[in-house]
Each structure stands twice: as structure tokens, then as C-alpha cells.
Short mmCIF file of all heavy atoms in Angstrom, two decimals:
data_model
loop_
_atom_site.label_atom_id
_atom_site.label_comp_id
_atom_site.label_asym_id
_atom_site.label_seq_id
_atom_site.Cartn_x
_atom_site.Cartn_y
_atom_site.Cartn_z
N SER A 1014 87.18 97.04 100.41
CA SER A 1014 86.19 97.24 99.37
C SER A 1014 85.96 98.74 99.17
O SER A 1014 86.11 99.53 100.09
CB SER A 1014 84.89 96.54 99.73
OG SER A 1014 84.21 97.24 100.74
N LEU A 1015 85.59 99.07 97.97
CA LEU A 1015 85.30 100.47 97.65
C LEU A 1015 83.89 100.82 98.06
O LEU A 1015 82.96 100.04 97.85
CB LEU A 1015 85.46 100.71 96.15
CG LEU A 1015 86.86 100.58 95.59
CD1 LEU A 1015 86.82 100.71 94.07
CD2 LEU A 1015 87.77 101.63 96.18
N MET A 1016 83.74 101.98 98.65
CA MET A 1016 82.41 102.45 99.01
C MET A 1016 81.77 103.01 97.74
O MET A 1016 82.39 103.77 97.01
CB MET A 1016 82.48 103.55 100.07
CG MET A 1016 81.11 104.03 100.50
SD MET A 1016 81.12 105.49 101.57
CE MET A 1016 82.22 105.03 102.85
N THR A 1017 80.56 102.61 97.48
CA THR A 1017 79.85 103.15 96.32
C THR A 1017 78.66 103.96 96.82
O THR A 1017 78.10 103.69 97.87
CB THR A 1017 79.35 102.03 95.39
OG1 THR A 1017 78.47 101.19 96.12
CG2 THR A 1017 80.52 101.23 94.85
N PHE A 1018 78.30 104.95 96.08
CA PHE A 1018 77.14 105.75 96.41
C PHE A 1018 76.52 106.26 95.12
O PHE A 1018 77.17 106.33 94.09
CB PHE A 1018 77.49 106.91 97.34
CG PHE A 1018 78.52 107.86 96.78
CD1 PHE A 1018 78.13 108.99 96.10
CD2 PHE A 1018 79.88 107.61 96.95
CE1 PHE A 1018 79.07 109.85 95.57
CE2 PHE A 1018 80.83 108.48 96.42
CZ PHE A 1018 80.42 109.60 95.74
N LYS A 1019 75.26 106.59 95.22
CA LYS A 1019 74.52 107.08 94.06
C LYS A 1019 74.82 108.57 93.87
O LYS A 1019 74.69 109.36 94.80
CB LYS A 1019 73.02 106.87 94.29
CG LYS A 1019 72.18 107.30 93.13
CD LYS A 1019 70.71 107.04 93.41
CE LYS A 1019 69.89 107.52 92.25
NZ LYS A 1019 68.46 107.39 92.52
N VAL A 1020 75.24 108.92 92.68
CA VAL A 1020 75.45 110.33 92.37
C VAL A 1020 74.11 110.90 91.94
O VAL A 1020 73.53 110.49 90.94
CB VAL A 1020 76.49 110.51 91.25
CG1 VAL A 1020 76.62 111.97 90.87
CG2 VAL A 1020 77.83 109.95 91.69
N THR A 1021 73.61 111.82 92.73
CA THR A 1021 72.32 112.43 92.45
C THR A 1021 72.53 113.78 91.77
O THR A 1021 73.63 114.36 91.86
CB THR A 1021 71.53 112.65 93.76
OG1 THR A 1021 72.26 113.59 94.57
CG2 THR A 1021 71.33 111.35 94.51
N PRO A 1022 71.50 114.30 91.12
CA PRO A 1022 71.64 115.65 90.55
C PRO A 1022 72.02 116.68 91.61
O PRO A 1022 72.84 117.56 91.35
CB PRO A 1022 70.27 115.94 89.95
CG PRO A 1022 69.70 114.59 89.63
CD PRO A 1022 70.22 113.69 90.75
N ALA A 1023 71.46 116.56 92.81
CA ALA A 1023 71.78 117.51 93.87
C ALA A 1023 73.26 117.44 94.22
O ALA A 1023 73.92 118.47 94.39
CB ALA A 1023 70.92 117.23 95.11
N LEU A 1024 73.80 116.24 94.31
CA LEU A 1024 75.22 116.08 94.64
C LEU A 1024 76.10 116.64 93.51
O LEU A 1024 77.12 117.27 93.77
CB LEU A 1024 75.55 114.61 94.89
CG LEU A 1024 76.99 114.30 95.29
CD1 LEU A 1024 77.38 115.05 96.56
CD2 LEU A 1024 77.17 112.80 95.47
N GLY A 1025 75.68 116.44 92.29
CA GLY A 1025 76.43 117.00 91.15
C GLY A 1025 76.49 118.52 91.20
O GLY A 1025 77.55 119.12 91.04
N TRP A 1026 75.34 119.16 91.45
CA TRP A 1026 75.31 120.63 91.55
C TRP A 1026 76.13 121.10 92.75
O TRP A 1026 76.81 122.12 92.68
CB TRP A 1026 73.87 121.14 91.66
CG TRP A 1026 73.13 121.11 90.37
CD1 TRP A 1026 72.08 120.30 90.05
CD2 TRP A 1026 73.35 121.92 89.22
NE1 TRP A 1026 71.66 120.56 88.77
CE2 TRP A 1026 72.41 121.54 88.24
CE3 TRP A 1026 74.27 122.92 88.91
CZ2 TRP A 1026 72.35 122.14 86.98
CZ3 TRP A 1026 74.22 123.52 87.66
CH2 TRP A 1026 73.26 123.12 86.71
N TYR A 1027 76.06 120.35 93.85
CA TYR A 1027 76.82 120.70 95.04
C TYR A 1027 78.33 120.68 94.73
O TYR A 1027 79.04 121.64 95.05
CB TYR A 1027 76.49 119.73 96.19
CG TYR A 1027 77.36 119.94 97.40
CD1 TYR A 1027 77.07 120.95 98.31
CD2 TYR A 1027 78.48 119.15 97.63
CE1 TYR A 1027 77.88 121.17 99.41
CE2 TYR A 1027 79.30 119.36 98.72
CZ TYR A 1027 78.98 120.37 99.62
OH TYR A 1027 79.80 120.58 100.71
N ASN A 1028 78.79 119.61 94.12
CA ASN A 1028 80.22 119.50 93.78
C ASN A 1028 80.66 120.60 92.83
O ASN A 1028 81.75 121.16 92.95
CB ASN A 1028 80.53 118.13 93.20
CG ASN A 1028 80.48 117.04 94.24
OD1 ASN A 1028 80.71 117.29 95.42
ND2 ASN A 1028 80.16 115.84 93.82
N TYR A 1029 79.80 120.92 91.88
CA TYR A 1029 80.08 122.00 90.92
C TYR A 1029 80.19 123.33 91.67
O TYR A 1029 81.10 124.13 91.43
CB TYR A 1029 78.95 122.01 89.90
CG TYR A 1029 79.19 122.72 88.60
CD1 TYR A 1029 80.43 122.77 88.00
CD2 TYR A 1029 78.11 123.32 87.94
CE1 TYR A 1029 80.61 123.42 86.78
CE2 TYR A 1029 78.29 123.96 86.73
CZ TYR A 1029 79.54 124.01 86.16
OH TYR A 1029 79.71 124.65 84.96
N GLY A 1030 79.26 123.58 92.59
CA GLY A 1030 79.29 124.81 93.38
C GLY A 1030 80.52 124.92 94.25
O GLY A 1030 81.13 126.00 94.35
N ILE A 1031 80.92 123.81 94.86
CA ILE A 1031 82.12 123.81 95.69
C ILE A 1031 83.36 124.11 94.85
O ILE A 1031 84.29 124.79 95.30
CB ILE A 1031 82.26 122.47 96.44
CG1 ILE A 1031 81.14 122.33 97.48
CG2 ILE A 1031 83.63 122.33 97.10
CD1 ILE A 1031 81.12 123.41 98.55
N SER A 1032 83.37 123.66 93.61
CA SER A 1032 84.49 123.96 92.72
C SER A 1032 84.61 125.47 92.48
O SER A 1032 85.72 126.03 92.51
CB SER A 1032 84.32 123.24 91.38
OG SER A 1032 84.39 121.86 91.56
N TYR A 1033 83.49 126.13 92.23
CA TYR A 1033 83.52 127.58 92.02
C TYR A 1033 83.91 128.31 93.31
O TYR A 1033 84.65 129.30 93.27
CB TYR A 1033 82.17 128.09 91.51
CG TYR A 1033 82.04 128.00 90.02
CD1 TYR A 1033 81.68 126.81 89.41
CD2 TYR A 1033 82.30 129.09 89.21
CE1 TYR A 1033 81.57 126.72 88.03
CE2 TYR A 1033 82.22 129.02 87.84
CZ TYR A 1033 81.84 127.83 87.25
OH TYR A 1033 81.76 127.74 85.89
N LEU A 1034 83.42 127.83 94.43
CA LEU A 1034 83.76 128.44 95.71
C LEU A 1034 85.26 128.31 95.97
O LEU A 1034 85.92 129.27 96.38
CB LEU A 1034 82.97 127.75 96.83
CG LEU A 1034 83.15 128.29 98.24
CD1 LEU A 1034 82.75 129.75 98.33
CD2 LEU A 1034 82.33 127.44 99.21
N SER A 1035 85.81 127.16 95.71
CA SER A 1035 87.23 126.93 95.89
C SER A 1035 88.06 127.82 94.97
O SER A 1035 89.06 128.41 95.39
CB SER A 1035 87.55 125.45 95.63
OG SER A 1035 88.92 125.21 95.75
N ALA A 1036 87.63 127.96 93.72
CA ALA A 1036 88.33 128.82 92.77
C ALA A 1036 88.33 130.27 93.25
O ALA A 1036 89.35 130.97 93.17
CB ALA A 1036 87.70 128.72 91.39
N ALA A 1037 87.20 130.74 93.77
CA ALA A 1037 87.11 132.11 94.28
C ALA A 1037 88.07 132.32 95.45
O ALA A 1037 88.78 133.33 95.52
CB ALA A 1037 85.68 132.42 94.72
N ARG A 1038 88.10 131.35 96.36
CA ARG A 1038 88.99 131.47 97.51
C ARG A 1038 90.46 131.48 97.10
O ARG A 1038 91.25 132.26 97.64
CB ARG A 1038 88.71 130.32 98.49
CG ARG A 1038 87.39 130.49 99.21
CD ARG A 1038 87.10 129.30 100.08
NE ARG A 1038 85.88 129.53 100.84
CZ ARG A 1038 85.21 128.57 101.45
NH1 ARG A 1038 85.63 127.32 101.38
NH2 ARG A 1038 84.12 128.86 102.13
N HIS A 1039 90.83 130.65 96.15
CA HIS A 1039 92.22 130.61 95.68
C HIS A 1039 92.60 131.91 94.98
O HIS A 1039 93.69 132.45 95.19
CB HIS A 1039 92.46 129.42 94.75
CG HIS A 1039 92.54 128.12 95.47
ND1 HIS A 1039 93.59 127.77 96.29
CD2 HIS A 1039 91.70 127.06 95.50
CE1 HIS A 1039 93.39 126.57 96.79
NE2 HIS A 1039 92.25 126.12 96.33
N LEU A 1040 91.70 132.42 94.15
CA LEU A 1040 91.99 133.67 93.44
C LEU A 1040 92.10 134.83 94.42
O LEU A 1040 92.97 135.69 94.27
CB LEU A 1040 90.89 133.93 92.41
CG LEU A 1040 91.09 135.07 91.44
CD1 LEU A 1040 92.40 134.93 90.67
CD2 LEU A 1040 89.92 135.15 90.46
N LYS A 1041 91.25 134.82 95.45
CA LYS A 1041 91.30 135.90 96.45
C LYS A 1041 92.64 135.91 97.19
O LYS A 1041 93.19 136.96 97.48
CB LYS A 1041 90.15 135.74 97.44
CG LYS A 1041 90.05 136.87 98.42
CD LYS A 1041 88.83 136.72 99.30
CE LYS A 1041 88.75 137.91 100.26
NZ LYS A 1041 87.59 137.81 101.12
N ARG A 1042 93.18 134.72 97.47
CA ARG A 1042 94.46 134.61 98.18
C ARG A 1042 95.63 135.19 97.37
O ARG A 1042 96.67 135.52 97.94
CB ARG A 1042 94.75 133.16 98.52
CG ARG A 1042 94.13 132.74 99.80
CD ARG A 1042 94.66 131.38 100.25
NE ARG A 1042 93.48 130.60 100.61
CZ ARG A 1042 93.16 129.44 100.07
NH1 ARG A 1042 93.93 128.87 99.18
NH2 ARG A 1042 92.07 128.81 100.44
N LEU A 1043 95.48 135.28 96.06
CA LEU A 1043 96.56 135.81 95.24
C LEU A 1043 96.79 137.30 95.48
O LEU A 1043 97.85 137.83 95.16
CB LEU A 1043 96.28 135.56 93.75
CG LEU A 1043 96.32 134.12 93.30
CD1 LEU A 1043 95.94 134.02 91.82
CD2 LEU A 1043 97.69 133.50 93.54
N ASP A 1044 95.76 137.99 96.00
CA ASP A 1044 95.87 139.41 96.32
C ASP A 1044 96.44 140.19 95.13
O ASP A 1044 97.47 140.87 95.23
CB ASP A 1044 96.74 139.62 97.56
CG ASP A 1044 96.62 141.03 98.11
OD1 ASP A 1044 95.55 141.66 97.94
OD2 ASP A 1044 97.60 141.51 98.71
N LEU A 1045 95.77 140.06 94.00
CA LEU A 1045 96.21 140.72 92.77
C LEU A 1045 96.10 142.24 92.89
O LEU A 1045 95.14 142.75 93.47
CB LEU A 1045 95.36 140.25 91.59
CG LEU A 1045 95.40 138.75 91.32
CD1 LEU A 1045 94.40 138.38 90.23
CD2 LEU A 1045 96.80 138.32 90.93
N HIS A 1046 97.05 142.92 92.35
CA HIS A 1046 97.06 144.39 92.39
C HIS A 1046 96.77 144.92 90.99
O HIS A 1046 97.65 145.44 90.30
CB HIS A 1046 98.40 144.90 92.92
CG HIS A 1046 98.66 144.45 94.32
ND1 HIS A 1046 98.02 145.01 95.41
CD2 HIS A 1046 99.45 143.48 94.82
CE1 HIS A 1046 98.41 144.42 96.51
NE2 HIS A 1046 99.28 143.47 96.18
N VAL A 1047 95.53 144.76 90.58
CA VAL A 1047 95.05 145.25 89.29
C VAL A 1047 93.72 145.94 89.51
O VAL A 1047 93.08 145.77 90.54
CB VAL A 1047 94.90 144.09 88.26
CG1 VAL A 1047 96.23 143.43 87.98
CG2 VAL A 1047 93.89 143.07 88.75
N ASP A 1048 93.31 146.73 88.52
CA ASP A 1048 92.00 147.39 88.62
C ASP A 1048 90.90 146.34 88.67
O ASP A 1048 90.91 145.37 87.91
CB ASP A 1048 91.76 148.30 87.41
CG ASP A 1048 92.65 149.54 87.45
OD1 ASP A 1048 93.14 149.88 88.54
OD2 ASP A 1048 92.85 150.14 86.38
N HIS A 1049 89.98 146.54 89.56
CA HIS A 1049 88.79 145.69 89.69
C HIS A 1049 89.13 144.22 89.93
O HIS A 1049 88.47 143.32 89.41
CB HIS A 1049 87.89 145.82 88.45
CG HIS A 1049 87.59 147.24 88.10
ND1 HIS A 1049 86.79 148.05 88.86
CD2 HIS A 1049 88.03 148.01 87.06
CE1 HIS A 1049 86.73 149.25 88.33
NE2 HIS A 1049 87.47 149.25 87.22
N ALA A 1050 90.14 143.96 90.71
CA ALA A 1050 90.56 142.58 90.99
C ALA A 1050 89.45 141.78 91.65
O ALA A 1050 89.38 140.56 91.50
CB ALA A 1050 91.80 142.58 91.87
N SER A 1051 88.57 142.46 92.37
CA SER A 1051 87.51 141.73 93.08
C SER A 1051 86.39 141.26 92.15
O SER A 1051 85.65 140.34 92.51
CB SER A 1051 86.92 142.59 94.19
OG SER A 1051 86.24 143.71 93.62
N ALA A 1052 86.27 141.83 90.96
CA ALA A 1052 85.15 141.50 90.07
C ALA A 1052 85.09 140.02 89.71
O ALA A 1052 84.04 139.39 89.87
CB ALA A 1052 85.18 142.38 88.82
N PRO A 1053 86.16 139.40 89.23
CA PRO A 1053 86.06 137.98 88.90
C PRO A 1053 85.87 137.11 90.14
O PRO A 1053 85.20 136.08 90.08
CB PRO A 1053 87.38 137.66 88.20
CG PRO A 1053 88.28 138.77 88.49
CD PRO A 1053 87.44 139.97 88.83
N ILE A 1054 86.43 137.54 91.26
CA ILE A 1054 86.25 136.79 92.51
C ILE A 1054 84.78 136.82 92.92
O ILE A 1054 84.20 135.78 93.27
CB ILE A 1054 87.15 137.37 93.62
CG1 ILE A 1054 88.62 137.21 93.23
CG2 ILE A 1054 86.85 136.70 94.96
CD1 ILE A 1054 89.58 138.01 94.09
N GLU A 1055 84.18 138.00 92.86
CA GLU A 1055 82.77 138.13 93.20
C GLU A 1055 81.90 137.30 92.27
O GLU A 1055 80.94 136.65 92.72
CB GLU A 1055 82.35 139.60 93.17
CG GLU A 1055 82.96 140.40 94.30
CD GLU A 1055 82.76 141.89 94.15
OE1 GLU A 1055 82.13 142.34 93.17
OE2 GLU A 1055 83.26 142.63 95.02
N LEU A 1056 82.21 137.31 90.99
CA LEU A 1056 81.44 136.53 90.03
C LEU A 1056 81.51 135.04 90.37
O LEU A 1056 80.50 134.33 90.33
CB LEU A 1056 81.95 136.77 88.60
CG LEU A 1056 81.19 136.05 87.50
CD1 LEU A 1056 79.73 136.50 87.45
CD2 LEU A 1056 81.85 136.29 86.16
N LEU A 1057 82.69 134.57 90.74
CA LEU A 1057 82.83 133.16 91.15
C LEU A 1057 82.01 132.87 92.41
O LEU A 1057 81.36 131.83 92.50
CB LEU A 1057 84.30 132.82 91.37
CG LEU A 1057 85.17 132.75 90.12
CD1 LEU A 1057 86.65 132.69 90.51
CD2 LEU A 1057 84.78 131.57 89.25
N TYR A 1058 82.02 133.78 93.38
CA TYR A 1058 81.21 133.60 94.59
C TYR A 1058 79.72 133.59 94.26
O TYR A 1058 78.96 132.77 94.78
CB TYR A 1058 81.50 134.69 95.62
CG TYR A 1058 82.72 134.45 96.47
CD1 TYR A 1058 83.71 135.42 96.59
CD2 TYR A 1058 82.89 133.28 97.19
CE1 TYR A 1058 84.83 135.23 97.38
CE2 TYR A 1058 83.99 133.06 97.99
CZ TYR A 1058 84.96 134.05 98.08
OH TYR A 1058 86.07 133.84 98.88
N TYR A 1059 79.28 134.51 93.40
CA TYR A 1059 77.86 134.56 93.01
C TYR A 1059 77.44 133.25 92.34
O TYR A 1059 76.37 132.70 92.64
CB TYR A 1059 77.57 135.72 92.06
CG TYR A 1059 77.83 137.10 92.61
CD1 TYR A 1059 78.22 138.14 91.78
CD2 TYR A 1059 77.70 137.38 93.97
CE1 TYR A 1059 78.46 139.41 92.27
CE2 TYR A 1059 77.95 138.64 94.47
CZ TYR A 1059 78.32 139.66 93.62
OH TYR A 1059 78.55 140.91 94.11
N HIS A 1060 78.28 132.77 91.44
CA HIS A 1060 77.94 131.55 90.71
C HIS A 1060 77.94 130.34 91.65
O HIS A 1060 77.07 129.48 91.56
CB HIS A 1060 78.87 131.34 89.52
CG HIS A 1060 78.35 130.35 88.54
ND1 HIS A 1060 77.10 130.46 87.95
CD2 HIS A 1060 78.88 129.21 88.05
CE1 HIS A 1060 76.89 129.43 87.14
NE2 HIS A 1060 77.96 128.65 87.19
N ALA A 1061 78.90 130.30 92.56
CA ALA A 1061 78.93 129.22 93.56
C ALA A 1061 77.65 129.23 94.39
O ALA A 1061 77.05 128.17 94.63
CB ALA A 1061 80.15 129.38 94.47
N THR A 1062 77.21 130.41 94.80
CA THR A 1062 75.98 130.53 95.58
C THR A 1062 74.78 130.00 94.79
O THR A 1062 73.95 129.26 95.33
CB THR A 1062 75.74 132.00 95.99
OG1 THR A 1062 76.86 132.44 96.75
CG2 THR A 1062 74.47 132.16 96.79
N GLU A 1063 74.70 130.36 93.53
CA GLU A 1063 73.61 129.90 92.68
C GLU A 1063 73.62 128.37 92.54
O GLU A 1063 72.58 127.72 92.67
CB GLU A 1063 73.71 130.54 91.30
CG GLU A 1063 72.62 130.11 90.34
CD GLU A 1063 72.76 130.75 88.97
OE1 GLU A 1063 73.67 131.57 88.75
OE2 GLU A 1063 71.93 130.42 88.11
N LEU A 1064 74.79 127.80 92.31
CA LEU A 1064 74.89 126.35 92.15
C LEU A 1064 74.56 125.62 93.45
O LEU A 1064 73.88 124.59 93.44
CB LEU A 1064 76.28 125.98 91.66
CG LEU A 1064 76.65 126.50 90.27
CD1 LEU A 1064 78.12 126.29 89.99
CD2 LEU A 1064 75.79 125.85 89.19
N LEU A 1065 75.03 126.15 94.57
CA LEU A 1065 74.74 125.52 95.86
C LEU A 1065 73.27 125.64 96.22
O LEU A 1065 72.69 124.72 96.81
CB LEU A 1065 75.64 126.11 96.94
CG LEU A 1065 77.12 125.77 96.78
CD1 LEU A 1065 77.98 126.62 97.71
CD2 LEU A 1065 77.37 124.30 96.99
N LEU A 1066 72.64 126.74 95.84
CA LEU A 1066 71.20 126.87 96.06
C LEU A 1066 70.44 125.85 95.22
O LEU A 1066 69.48 125.22 95.70
CB LEU A 1066 70.73 128.29 95.72
CG LEU A 1066 69.23 128.55 95.85
CD1 LEU A 1066 68.74 128.27 97.26
CD2 LEU A 1066 68.91 129.98 95.45
N LYS A 1067 70.85 125.64 93.99
CA LYS A 1067 70.22 124.61 93.15
C LYS A 1067 70.36 123.24 93.79
O LYS A 1067 69.41 122.46 93.82
CB LYS A 1067 70.84 124.58 91.75
CG LYS A 1067 70.41 125.71 90.86
CD LYS A 1067 71.05 125.59 89.49
CE LYS A 1067 70.58 126.71 88.58
NZ LYS A 1067 71.12 126.58 87.23
N ALA A 1068 71.54 122.94 94.32
CA ALA A 1068 71.76 121.66 94.99
C ALA A 1068 70.81 121.50 96.17
O ALA A 1068 70.20 120.45 96.35
CB ALA A 1068 73.21 121.55 95.45
N TYR A 1069 70.69 122.56 96.95
CA TYR A 1069 69.80 122.54 98.12
C TYR A 1069 68.36 122.28 97.71
O TYR A 1069 67.66 121.44 98.29
CB TYR A 1069 69.92 123.86 98.89
CG TYR A 1069 68.98 123.96 100.05
CD1 TYR A 1069 69.34 123.43 101.29
CD2 TYR A 1069 67.74 124.58 99.92
CE1 TYR A 1069 68.47 123.52 102.36
CE2 TYR A 1069 66.87 124.66 100.99
CZ TYR A 1069 67.23 124.13 102.21
OH TYR A 1069 66.37 124.21 103.27
N LEU A 1070 67.91 123.03 96.70
CA LEU A 1070 66.52 122.89 96.25
C LEU A 1070 66.26 121.49 95.68
O LEU A 1070 65.20 120.89 95.96
CB LEU A 1070 66.18 123.96 95.22
CG LEU A 1070 66.15 125.40 95.77
CD1 LEU A 1070 65.98 126.39 94.62
CD2 LEU A 1070 65.06 125.57 96.80
N LEU A 1071 67.18 120.97 94.90
CA LEU A 1071 67.02 119.62 94.37
C LEU A 1071 66.97 118.58 95.49
O LEU A 1071 66.17 117.65 95.46
CB LEU A 1071 68.14 119.28 93.38
CG LEU A 1071 68.04 119.95 92.02
CD1 LEU A 1071 69.35 119.78 91.26
CD2 LEU A 1071 66.88 119.39 91.22
N HIS A 1072 67.82 118.76 96.47
CA HIS A 1072 67.86 117.84 97.61
C HIS A 1072 66.55 117.86 98.40
O HIS A 1072 66.16 116.86 98.99
CB HIS A 1072 69.03 118.18 98.52
CG HIS A 1072 69.20 117.25 99.67
ND1 HIS A 1072 69.64 115.95 99.51
CD2 HIS A 1072 68.97 117.41 100.99
CE1 HIS A 1072 69.67 115.36 100.70
NE2 HIS A 1072 69.27 116.23 101.61
N HIS A 1073 65.88 119.00 98.38
CA HIS A 1073 64.65 119.17 99.15
C HIS A 1073 63.39 119.10 98.29
O HIS A 1073 62.36 119.69 98.65
CB HIS A 1073 64.71 120.46 99.95
CG HIS A 1073 65.69 120.38 101.08
ND1 HIS A 1073 65.42 119.76 102.27
CD2 HIS A 1073 66.98 120.80 101.16
CE1 HIS A 1073 66.47 119.81 103.06
NE2 HIS A 1073 67.44 120.44 102.39
N GLY A 1074 63.46 118.38 97.17
CA GLY A 1074 62.25 118.05 96.44
C GLY A 1074 61.96 118.79 95.15
O GLY A 1074 61.02 118.43 94.45
N PHE A 1075 62.71 119.81 94.84
CA PHE A 1075 62.51 120.47 93.56
C PHE A 1075 63.04 119.55 92.46
O PHE A 1075 63.88 118.69 92.70
CB PHE A 1075 63.28 121.79 93.50
CG PHE A 1075 62.60 122.95 94.15
CD1 PHE A 1075 62.35 122.96 95.51
CD2 PHE A 1075 62.22 124.06 93.41
CE1 PHE A 1075 61.73 124.03 96.12
CE2 PHE A 1075 61.60 125.14 94.01
CZ PHE A 1075 61.35 125.13 95.37
N ASN A 1076 62.54 119.75 91.25
CA ASN A 1076 63.09 119.00 90.13
C ASN A 1076 63.69 119.99 89.13
O ASN A 1076 63.59 121.20 89.30
CB ASN A 1076 62.04 118.08 89.48
CG ASN A 1076 60.85 118.85 88.94
OD1 ASN A 1076 61.01 119.90 88.33
ND2 ASN A 1076 59.65 118.34 89.16
N GLU A 1077 64.32 119.45 88.10
CA GLU A 1077 65.00 120.31 87.12
C GLU A 1077 64.03 121.30 86.46
O GLU A 1077 64.38 122.45 86.19
CB GLU A 1077 65.69 119.47 86.05
CG GLU A 1077 66.81 118.59 86.57
CD GLU A 1077 68.11 119.33 86.82
OE1 GLU A 1077 68.25 120.48 86.37
OE2 GLU A 1077 68.98 118.73 87.48
N ARG A 1078 62.80 120.87 86.21
CA ARG A 1078 61.80 121.75 85.61
C ARG A 1078 61.48 122.92 86.55
O ARG A 1078 61.33 124.07 86.11
CB ARG A 1078 60.53 120.97 85.28
CG ARG A 1078 59.58 121.76 84.40
CD ARG A 1078 58.37 120.98 83.95
NE ARG A 1078 58.71 119.60 83.65
CZ ARG A 1078 57.87 118.59 83.80
NH1 ARG A 1078 56.65 118.78 84.22
NH2 ARG A 1078 58.24 117.36 83.50
N ASP A 1079 61.36 122.64 87.86
CA ASP A 1079 61.13 123.70 88.84
C ASP A 1079 62.26 124.73 88.80
O ASP A 1079 62.02 125.93 88.87
CB ASP A 1079 61.04 123.13 90.26
CG ASP A 1079 59.86 122.19 90.48
OD1 ASP A 1079 58.82 122.37 89.81
OD2 ASP A 1079 60.00 121.28 91.32
N LEU A 1080 63.48 124.23 88.68
CA LEU A 1080 64.62 125.14 88.67
C LEU A 1080 64.63 126.00 87.41
O LEU A 1080 65.01 127.17 87.47
CB LEU A 1080 65.94 124.35 88.76
CG LEU A 1080 66.19 123.61 90.08
CD1 LEU A 1080 67.53 122.91 90.03
CD2 LEU A 1080 66.11 124.54 91.27
N LYS A 1081 64.21 125.44 86.29
CA LYS A 1081 64.15 126.21 85.03
C LYS A 1081 63.21 127.40 85.19
O LYS A 1081 63.47 128.49 84.67
CB LYS A 1081 63.66 125.33 83.89
CG LYS A 1081 64.71 124.42 83.34
CD LYS A 1081 65.54 125.14 82.30
CE LYS A 1081 66.40 124.14 81.59
NZ LYS A 1081 67.56 124.73 81.02
N LYS A 1082 62.11 127.20 85.93
CA LYS A 1082 61.15 128.28 86.14
C LYS A 1082 61.75 129.42 86.96
O LYS A 1082 61.33 130.56 86.84
CB LYS A 1082 59.91 127.75 86.87
CG LYS A 1082 59.08 126.79 86.04
CD LYS A 1082 57.92 126.24 86.86
CE LYS A 1082 57.21 125.14 86.12
NZ LYS A 1082 56.15 124.51 86.93
N LEU A 1083 62.74 129.11 87.78
CA LEU A 1083 63.40 130.11 88.62
C LEU A 1083 64.62 130.73 87.95
O LEU A 1083 65.22 131.64 88.49
CB LEU A 1083 63.84 129.47 89.94
CG LEU A 1083 62.76 128.88 90.82
CD1 LEU A 1083 63.38 128.16 92.02
CD2 LEU A 1083 61.79 129.95 91.28
N SER A 1084 64.96 130.23 86.78
CA SER A 1084 66.20 130.62 86.10
C SER A 1084 66.17 132.09 85.70
O SER A 1084 65.13 132.65 85.38
CB SER A 1084 66.39 129.75 84.86
OG SER A 1084 67.54 130.15 84.17
N HIS A 1085 67.35 132.70 85.71
CA HIS A 1085 67.47 134.10 85.27
C HIS A 1085 67.83 134.20 83.80
O HIS A 1085 67.94 135.29 83.27
CB HIS A 1085 68.50 134.83 86.13
CG HIS A 1085 69.85 134.22 86.12
ND1 HIS A 1085 70.75 134.40 85.12
CD2 HIS A 1085 70.46 133.39 87.01
CE1 HIS A 1085 71.86 133.73 85.38
NE2 HIS A 1085 71.70 133.10 86.53
N ASN A 1086 68.07 133.08 83.14
CA ASN A 1086 68.44 133.10 81.72
C ASN A 1086 67.22 132.95 80.84
O ASN A 1086 66.36 132.22 81.01
CB ASN A 1086 69.44 132.00 81.39
CG ASN A 1086 70.77 132.27 82.05
OD1 ASN A 1086 71.04 133.40 82.45
ND2 ASN A 1086 71.58 131.26 82.18
#
């Protein structure tokens, strides 16, 4: 039988964050020799951190409205 589980907003943000983290790690492994090669990698790490923090906060009782109040946009 297939295991089923409820997809929560926290889990969605977590998976999204892990995707950005994985992309940063893969890009870093390419060891590109161009000017400012670290800039896009750092941006991916920063965004992953933001998404994972949102997942953490949602998991621990914050709601989407609470997160909007903390938004930088």
C-alpha cells in the first residue's frame, strides 16, 4: 500500500527551500571560473535560508499572515 500523508504549508515551504539549497550546492560544485561566480550561489543559499525559516515558523505556529508581516517585500 502507498503511504499517504498530509501536505502542510510548512512541508511545502521546506521542500521548496531544499530545492534551492540543492541547486546552490550543485552550482558550487561546478567551480565556475567567471567574475563573481559566487554571487548566484550566495543568492540561492540566502533564498533557501529564507524558505526554510518560513517552514520552521509555520511548523511552530505562525500563519501565512504572520509571515507577511515579517516579509521584506
